[in-house]
Amino acid sequence: MHLKSLFGLLAFAVALLPISTAADDADEIDLKLFGENVIQGWDGCRFALWQNNRDPSEDRYAYVFFAPIPDGEELPGWVKIGDDVIEISRLDIGSADTGMLEPFRLYRDPDARLTVMMEILEQTRTDDGIEVTDGRLTFLRNDKFPFAIRVKGLNGCPGAGADEAAMAPASSGLSLGAPVGYDSLSAVPAPVLRAIAADAPQCEPQATAGYSSAYAINTEVTLWEVPCNLYAASGSSVFAVTWAGYPDHATILPFPAPPGMGMNDDAELLNASVDPASGSVTSYSLDSGGDCGSFSRFQLADAEGETVEFVLREFREKTLCDGVQSDPAGFPLVYQNP
């Protein structure tokens, strides 16, 4: 039977609870959707995939694959075929090296009778974990036709983002005054240059032309953008704040890295662009060919201790250098914190 026909059978079977059509043919895998009857009320972290037109919070049967993650370590997953709940374990031990899920994973049961190929086609990082917005599982079993099903899912902890947001202090966005340009580093307060030398030593403002801007946050606090380094096709900046009541003090504001990707916070921002009305700063970094790279958007916000900080709102990345140039702001979304 052609795979297209199998998808047709699946669409018909979804209308029935439980799925029963496949059981009428001994040559087809009798895949079943499942819910609490299999996961037994597990509400902790998990790697779960469900049929793409279902929602496990609303549908009694939705899951295709479910693996609990206690203490940060993924256990073998469960699938249901006929009346049997089958445990399958990963065969590959590779890594995506990006903080995201590998595009391909392979699972097998202990008796080596069932093999499941997992394809992660689209994914994005949220506060709850890694959301799979499009994927496919293909089931292969001895003397059976392969069975493919489209899925969505989550690798993470449902509600974690909401819990963290409830516990964390509110972070209100700030707007900025109109930019005041300067054309020499002599206009930059000495405490700012000292803070750069101490906290961002890779930055070399003296090697630039010294053109940039300052922005009033309020009557007491000023945000300074200082040119940092010049490269062949781009430039970098650092940002610092000064206080009118503390003229001898300045603080460098770091830019947070997207969580879970193995990247470090950085004081130096490539190709920075400031939008004073929203208090946001965007940055992009491109490969030498200009057809791949990353894009970040940060928001200036109040922080504890009567100071301010940058909050990462959006991170996009295009890892495939395919020769097609596009606006970095349209790269695939990897992380979002609205």
Side-chain angles (χ1 to χ4, degrees):
M1 180 176 292
H2 194 274
L3 284 179
K4 186 175 182 181
S5 300
L6 292 175
F7 278 116
L9 283 173
L10 179 60
F12 173 75
V14 168
L16 304 175
L17 294 176
I19 298 175
S20 61
T21 305
D24 297 333
D25 191 334
D27 292 330
E28 294 175 354
I29 293 175
D30 185 16
L31 179 67
K32 297 288 183 69
L33 304 183
F34 59 87
E36 293 293 320
N37 59 322
V38 170
I39 69 174
Q40 299 177 352
W42 177 269
D43 60 359
C45 301
R46 79 283 305 274
F47 180 23
L49 297 172
W50 50 87
Q51 187 168 281
N52 66 344
N53 62 350
R54 295 203 167 216
D55 185 338
S57 65
E58 299 178 358
D59 297 305
R60 184 180 178 189
Y61 300 106
Y63 291 110
V64 179
F65 171 91
F66 192 98
I69 308 180
D71 303 323
E73 182 176 356
E74 179 186 331
L75 298 180
W78 302 317
V79 299
K80 188 173 184 181
I81 296 179
D83 295 329
D84 299 326
V85 176
I86 301 173
E87 183 179 283
I88 57 175
S89 301
R90 283 188 63 183
L91 295 181
D92 54 318
I93 56 173
S95 171
D97 293 327
T98 63
M100 305 294 281
L101 297 172
E102 301 85 349
F104 297 97
R105 286 185 169 196
L106 201 62
Y107 289 80
R108 183 168 289 168
D109 73 317
D111 297 328
R113 296 182 63 242
L114 174 67
T115 299
V116 179
M117 183 176 71
M118 183 181 297
E119 298 173 81
I120 306 299
L121 303 175
E122 293 182 5
Q123 57 183 313
T124 184
R125 183 170 288 278
T126 69
D127 289 339
D128 289 343
I130 298 174
E131 180 181 349
V132 178
T133 53
D134 188 15
R136 178 169 52 207
L137 295 185
T138 301
F139 292 76
L140 303 106
R141 198 167 190 176
N142 296 344
D143 302 322
K144 304 288 184 181
F145 290 114
F147 194 105
I149 182 171
R150 215 61 177 246
V151 296
K152 295 180 179 180
L154 173 71
N155 186 334
C157 309
D163 293 342
E164 291 176 4
M167 295 173 60
S171 179
S172 58
L174 301 173
S175 59
L176 302 171
V180 177
Y182 58 87
D183 58 8
S184 170
L185 291 179
S186 62
V188 179
V192 171
L193 297 178
R194 289 198 298 267
I196 292 174
D199 299 327
Q202 301 302 317
C203 178
E204 299 180 348
Q206 66 279 3
T208 71
Y211 295 95
S212 198
S213 300
Y215 306 83
I217 299 175
N218 53 44
T219 57
E220 294 294 317
V221 186
T222 301
L223 177 71
W224 295 83
E225 179 183 359
V226 182
C228 196
N229 289 296
L230 295 176
Y231 305 99
S234 62
S236 64
S237 305
V238 292
F239 288 75
V241 290
T242 58
W243 291 263
Y246 303 92
D248 294 329
H249 181 71
T251 298
I252 302 298
L253 298 184
F255 291 91
M261 294 189 64
M263 302 169 63
N264 297 320
D265 297 354
D266 203 341
E268 191 174 340
L269 200 65
L270 279 173
N271 302 309
S273 178
V274 179
D275 178 21
S278 65
S280 64
V281 180
T282 60
S283 166
Y284 68 89
S285 174
L286 297 177
D287 180 81
S288 58
D291 57 342
C292 57
S294 62
F295 172 88
S296 302
R297 179 172 62 87
F298 303 89
Q299 170 73 53
L300 189 68
D302 285 316
E304 187 177 358
E306 298 183 0
T307 185
V308 295
E309 65 182 356
F310 279 113
V311 177
L312 178 63
R313 295 301 192 198
E314 181 181 342
F315 179 77
R316 296 175 177 269
E317 187 174 35
K318 180 183 177 185
T319 57
L320 176 62
C321 302
D322 54 6
V324 179
Q325 297 185 4
S326 59
D327 184 356
F331 285 169
L333 183 65
V334 175
Y335 172 82
Q336 188 172 38
N337 176 22

